[in-house]
Amino acid sequence: MIKSKIIHPELISTLAKCGHKTKILIADSNYSFVTNSSPKAIIIYLNLSPGMINATDILDALLTEINVESAILMDTPADFNPEIYQEYKDRLSLEVEFTSLDRYAFYNTAKSDDLLLVIASGEKRRFANIILTVGAIK
C-alpha cells in the first residue's frame, strides 16, 4: 500500500508519467471528455454519481502529488459567475498563471497532444473544467 493522498492505481500511474508542461484536464460532469480531449489521453472516470467526486477535491489531491505551473479556464457567459473559479485560485499558488479561453479554444487545447490525463468528475457546477499544466519540481 502506498502512502499517498491518491491511491487510485491508474491515476497515480498516469501522474507518474507526467513531465514538465504535460496538461491535465479536470472535467465537470457536463464535459464531453471522450470527444473533446486528445485521443492519446488517458481518461480516469471518477464520476460515480452527480456531485461525487467534485472537482475541487480532485484538485486538492493532485496538488499533493504535482506542482502546477499554469491553469486554463473556460470563458463563461457574461451573466454567469462561476464561483468555482475563485475556489481554484484559492487552492493554487499565487505563482500559477491563469488563462481563460472561449469554449472552442478550450476544446482545442484539450485535444492537443500535450494533454495526457483527463479526470472525469461528478462536479455538477457548470464551467468547472480546468486544464492544469504540470510544473517542474521545485
Side-chain angles (χ1 to χ4, degrees):
M1 186 72 184
I2 60 172
K3 290 181 170 182
S4 173
K5 179 87 172 168
I6 298 174
I7 60 171
H8 188 288
E10 191 174 11
L11 181 51
I12 199 72
S13 171
T14 306
L15 286 174
K17 295 173 186 172
C18 291
H20 184 218
K21 301 290 185 185
T22 301
K23 295 192 181 334
I24 297 170
L25 167 64
I26 301 174
D28 67 29
S29 61
N30 292 307
Y31 193 87
S32 52
F33 24 80
V34 174
T35 58
N36 281 312
S37 62
S38 171
K40 296 179 181 180
I42 296 165
I43 301 175
I44 306 290
Y45 295 93
L46 298 182
N47 52 344
L48 177 63
S49 63
M52 293 179 61
I53 298 173
N54 70 47
T56 51
D57 288 340
I58 292 169
L59 178 59
D60 288 342
L62 290 179
L63 292 175
T64 68
E65 306 300 325
I66 63 166
N67 291 321
V68 175
E69 177 176 289
S70 62
I72 302 171
L73 303 170
M74 188 183 289
D75 285 342
T76 63
D79 62 344
F80 183 75
N81 179 24
E83 294 174 8
I84 195 167
Y85 286 8
Q86 188 58 50
E87 292 179 45
Y88 288 150
K89 290 175 182 176
D90 290 345
R91 284 168 163 78
L92 292 165
S93 163
L94 295 174
E95 299 168 1
V96 172
E97 175 188 338
F98 277 85
T99 306
S100 184
L101 298 175
D102 72 61
R103 174 178 283 167
Y104 297 104
F106 188 95
Y107 291 156
N108 286 337
T109 301
K111 291 177 183 178
S112 79
D113 287 342
D114 292 337
L115 191 95
L116 177 64
L117 175 60
V118 176
I119 304 171
S121 75
E123 181 63 62
K124 296 187 298 184
R125 292 177 281 185
R126 293 175 52 221
F127 296 98
N129 308 300
I130 185 169
I131 297 174
L132 307 171
T133 301
V134 176
I137 296 172
K138 296 180 181 178

